[in-house]
Amino acid sequence: MKDLFDKLRERRGPLGQYSKQTHGYFMFPKLEGEISPRMKFRGKEVLNWSLNNYLGLANHPEVRKADADASAKFGMALPMGARMMSGDSNYHQQLESELAAFVMKQDAVLVNFGYQGMVSAIDCLVDRHDIIIYDAESHACIVDGVRLHMGKRFAYNHNDMESLEKLLQRAEANVKDTDGSILVITEGVFGMSGKQGKLKEIVELKKKYNFRLFVDDAHGIGTMGKTGAGTGEEQGCQDGVDIYFGTFAKSFALIGGFLAGDENMVEYLRYNMRSQIFAKSLPMPIVIGALKRLELMRNHPEYKAKLWEIVNAMQSGLTKAGFEIGGTQSPVTPIYLNGTVPEATNVTFDLRENYGIFCSIVVYPVVPKGIILLRIIPTASHTLQDVEYSIKSFSEMHKKLKAGEYSREKMAVI
């Protein structure tokens, strides 16, 4: 019999196998200083395109003051306990009410972490008689939630409505025998490609099939739609989204999240979602900080307008420069390059050390072998000068990549 830890040493995983060469630079890098487009990386200033601070609220003076005042008044311990037992407050209830109104739903319930909230909500909503149908390119939190499901689950081809409809037909035939229900799960904005989920088309399928729609709109809330209420608002079908998830980790520049929808469904989650029943309530400074961020989001549409000015400049500029950015329909801006994992590390090293640009690099197994994905996250805090400099730098890097200057057998040595 093999010792468990011996197996862990042998099976490092697709990313863990590179840990000795990558830790602290390519993976688990440390950015220092105030959250902004300019931060320090290993003692050098870099132009940072890797923060989900879409609306630039992280260092907004009103946000910083609200966070500081709440911390001074309440500390990080209050409320002490799970909400069901001893951890509720008027502030928590106020935030839920305002969030529900913002995304045009009857009620909302807070969750401590976005990832955990999605996993736990999926587990809570369905039983073994029900069927889940989800987009094949769903975020890991959806995949992990689906893995907990003890009933049948089907993955439809990414954004393929013909594939989804075939699975809906199959699911309806199955639930006739089990007296079960059908839950369809997708994302509002897919976090790697930037594509929007086809929410309007999925909602249209409700005319033919009986199912509920669950949308993870982590990258959509605050960035999409006329008021920032998300991708459902953007596509004019928010009413057809039955369960809406929004995180605080992107546009809110905070931590936590919420689920919103019909008041009966939300009440069911509130009393049955194990990750919240058995976990400490969100600390008061986070709740009060979220209220301030939501207030700014509602009252200052110019923040979203500035974000989209930067997004449009970056995406149009990259396209004009000959880059492949896929079908992004959101601020998420991918740059698709051809290359190996060692080439990807050399590209990243060159960008950071010689051009002073920090952006996320994504390689296999997140993307197919032979693909290097640079993921750019524009924010309202960036400038058009930042965009211009970055496109020029990316163009120079791309010429080097195509010329084979990064084609070494080994990764860049840090």
Side-chain angles (χ1 to χ4, degrees):
M1 182 177 71
K2 185 172 287 189
D3 181 77
L4 174 63
F5 288 5
D6 289 338
K7 287 199 295 183
L8 300 184
R9 278 188 285 271
E10 293 171 10
R11 302 175 188 175
R12 305 303 299 171
L15 297 178
Q17 64 181 310
Y18 301 117
S19 62
K20 285 186 172 59
Q21 303 102 306
T22 64
H23 193 84
Y25 194 93
F26 301 109
M27 299 178 191
F28 297 91
K30 298 172 185 175
L31 287 164
E32 298 175 305
E34 295 285 330
I35 295 174
S36 74
R38 304 278 174 177
M39 297 183 72
K40 288 287 185 70
F41 176 63
R42 294 168 73 93
K44 294 181 180 179
E45 184 179 85
V46 290
L47 174 54
N48 187 3
W49 293 102
S50 191
L51 294 178
N52 291 321
N53 181 30
Y54 283 122
L55 301 179
L57 296 181
N59 273 322
H60 191 289
E62 291 186 40
V63 164
R64 292 293 293 267
K65 185 176 187 305
D67 290 350
D69 289 350
S71 296
K73 182 175 181 180
F74 297 106
M76 290 300 291
L78 192 71
M80 198 65 207
R83 284 188 72 189
M84 185 178 282
M85 301 298 290
S86 59
D88 206 2
S89 80
N90 291 335
Y91 288 107
H92 287 70
Q93 293 178 14
Q94 178 187 348
L95 179 57
E96 288 173 335
S97 177
E98 291 191 19
L99 287 166
F102 182 61
V103 298
M104 296 170 277
K105 296 300 177 187
Q106 291 180 358
D107 199 2
V109 59
L110 295 172
V111 293
N112 291 4
F113 296 97
Y115 197 110
Q116 162 236 49
M118 281 297 299
V119 171
S120 188
I122 294 169
D123 177 53
C124 179
L125 287 164
V126 292
D127 62 33
R128 64 187 179 86
H129 301 294
D130 302 325
I131 293 177
I132 296 175
I133 307 176
Y134 65 104
D135 190 290
E137 293 190 12
S138 292
H139 188 271
C141 64
I142 295 173
V143 174
D144 284 354
V146 169
R147 284 175 174 171
L148 292 176
H149 179 44
M150 299 182 71
K152 292 182 178 179
R153 64 264 192 150
F154 308 132
Y156 65 91
N157 298 333
H158 177 51
N159 265 350
D160 185 333
M161 295 302 98
E162 183 178 344
S163 173
L164 172 57
E165 186 162 9
K166 286 180 180 178
L167 290 176
L168 283 167
Q169 292 168 356
R170 182 178 173 187
E172 283 203 339
N174 273 270
V175 295
K176 284 179 182 177
D177 298 327
T178 65
D179 195 32
S181 303
I182 301 171
L183 178 65
V184 173
I185 310 176
T186 187
E187 294 186 55
V189 171
F190 288 87
M192 285 295 163
S193 70
K195 293 179 182 177
Q196 294 179 34
K198 295 185 176 179
L199 308 188
K200 192 168 187 177
E201 293 179 46
I202 297 174
V203 170
E204 278 294 306
L205 288 172
K206 286 185 174 184
K207 295 175 181 177
K208 297 171 64 176
Y209 306 97
N210 184 16
F211 64 91
R212 293 292 184 173
L213 175 59
F214 189 172
V215 174
D216 174 352
D217 208 22
H219 289 272
I221 187 167
T223 70
M224 307 297 293
K226 182 179 179 180
T227 69
T231 314
E233 182 187 38
E234 176 77 17
Q235 297 184 19
C237 61
Q238 187 77 336
D239 287 349
V241 176
D242 300 296
I243 310 155
Y244 181 91
F245 166 80
T247 182
F248 297 154
K250 308 293 192 290
S251 290
F252 284 76
L254 195 61
I255 196 165
F258 69 98
L259 294 138
D262 170 87
E263 60 184 354
N264 292 321
M265 182 276 298
V266 171
E267 191 75 352
Y268 179 83
L269 290 175
R270 186 173 282 121
Y271 276 83
N272 293 279
M273 195 161 45
R274 293 172 63 83
S275 69
Q276 298 308 118
I277 294 173
F278 297 104
K280 184 183 181 297
S281 177
L282 276 174
M284 203 72 82
I286 291 178
V287 174
I288 292 173
L291 281 165
K292 172 54 70 174
R293 289 161 170 83
L294 182 58
E295 174 193 321
L296 293 170
M297 204 177 289
R298 285 192 306 249
N299 297 334
H300 293 274
E302 66 270 21
Y303 299 154
K304 185 164 74 72
K306 177 63 188 303
L307 164 66
W308 276 97
E309 178 188 11
I310 300 300
V311 170
N312 291 331
M314 175 64 84
Q315 293 182 358
S316 63
L318 287 170
T319 301
K320 187 176 180 180
F323 287 99
E324 172 58 50
I325 64 170
T328 182
Q329 304 158 301
S330 71
V332 178
T333 305
I335 301 175
Y336 295 96
L337 306 169
N338 295 316
T340 63
V341 171
E343 283 179 309
T345 63
N346 291 310
V347 164
T348 308
F349 184 83
D350 196 19
L351 285 174
R352 292 179 183 177
E353 299 302 319
N354 298 317
Y355 293 97
I357 293 178
F358 188 101
C359 61
S360 298
I361 181 168
V362 184
V363 294
Y364 178 82
V366 181
V367 294
K369 287 183 178 179
I371 297 293
I372 302 169
L373 189 157
L374 303 181
R375 189 174 74 150
I376 309 301
I377 302 293
T379 75
S381 298
H382 284 98
T383 67
L384 293 175
Q385 289 73 29
D386 293 335
V387 172
E388 183 180 358
Y389 173 74
S390 297
I391 292 173
K392 180 177 181 291
S393 301
F394 291 142
S395 296
E396 291 180 11
M397 171 273 295
H398 199 201
K399 287 179 184 177
K400 293 181 185 178
L401 178 63
K402 289 191 288 187
E405 293 187 31
Y406 301 119
S407 297
R408 303 166 198 157
E409 291 185 3
K410 295 184 179 180
M411 296 180 180
V413 177
I414 309 308

